[in-house]
Amino acid sequence: YYNVGFIHMLFPNALILHVAREPMDTIFSAYKHEFPAGPLDYTSDFPSLAEMYHAYRDLIEHWDRELPGRVTHVRYEDLVHDLPGVAKKIIEATGLDWDESVLDFHKKKQAVNTLSTTQVRKGVYKDSLQSWKRYEKHLQPLVKLIGERKNFNLKTSLAGYQPPAPEVNEEATVQSAEPKVMTEESTIHSE
């Protein structure tokens, strides 16, 4: 997202995708991983995470204001619930021909060099949606730092895309899950 303006100048016809996940799920996902020491140290500190998240949102809002319609937004939750529909619209937006193998990305043999290697090999799954809710009580200091931006009303802006009707109330499903017992915020990192 830092380079949207640069990409726009160099490749004025390029499709610029911004995939955005529900804010607290995004932040919690970064917080719960124990990254090696270095540039991601901010992920283990609530104030630093909140500062980085606000900076990200400020910059995305800047691009939407300065280059209206140039960034195509995709809600992560739409991608999870409707991979075929979203993938087809992305491929259509690029002007490329549709290939069904796009949906089988998790079966590819290419190397994946991220912390999510095992997740990539599982394909798209819904288990992580609203996962932060299990720890909501412990994450209240972070929720307060995020403030109103905890609510993200982003819509997928792919031309012609209509999200399917929701299947179930995920929030109710997550809240009924058995919560893990924790004694302090830092224990989230070990899970």
Side-chain angles (χ1 to χ4, degrees), residues 138-153:
H138 303 285
L139 294 170
Q140 280 310 301
L142 181 55
V143 170
K144 286 179 183 165
L145 290 167
I146 298 304
E148 287 300 312
R149 283 187 161 159
K150 177 182 153 282
N151 305 312
F152 200 27
N153 298 320

Side-chain angles (χ1 to χ4, degrees), residues 21-27 53 57 149-152:
R21 188 175 177 187
E22 191 278 331
M24 286 303 298
D25 271 346
T26 300
I27 298 165
Y53 185 75
R57 288 283 297 273
R149 283 187 161 159
K150 177 182 153 282
N151 305 312
F152 200 27

Side-chain angles (χ1 to χ4, degrees), residues 44-148:
S44 62
D45 177 66
F46 281 177
S48 296
L49 267 170
E51 182 180 337
M52 190 66 142
Y53 185 75
H54 284 296
Y56 147 73
R57 288 283 297 273
D58 288 344
L59 198 48
I60 290 297
E61 290 168 9
H62 166 79
W63 295 127
D64 282 343
R65 215 174 26 255
E66 297 301 317
L67 301 170
R70 188 63 183 91
V71 175
T72 301
H73 302 288
V74 176
R75 285 184 65 243
Y76 173 81
E77 293 77 10
D78 288 342
L79 196 64
V80 168
H81 288 294
D82 185 22
L83 179 62
V86 172
K88 285 176 183 173
K89 289 298 179 185
I90 290 172
I91 298 299
E92 186 179 301
T94 65
L96 297 171
D97 293 329
W98 174 249
D99 182 341
E100 285 292 324
S101 71
V102 165
L103 302 176
D104 294 326
F105 67 90
H106 57 289
K107 296 176 183 175
K108 305 282 187 216
K109 301 296 181 203
Q110 289 91 346
V112 177
N113 190 16
T114 71
L115 285 174
S116 58
T117 299
T118 57
Q119 293 170 335
V120 169
R121 299 293 180 221
K122 287 197 280 185
V124 175
Y125 58 93
K126 300 175 184 176
D127 300 357
S128 65
L129 296 176
Q130 294 290 308
S131 63
W132 79 276
K133 288 278 191 180
R134 291 183 209 117
Y135 307 100
E136 187 170 12
K137 181 177 126 190
H138 303 285
L139 294 170
Q140 280 310 301
L142 181 55
V143 170
K144 286 179 183 165
L145 290 167
I146 298 304
E148 287 300 312

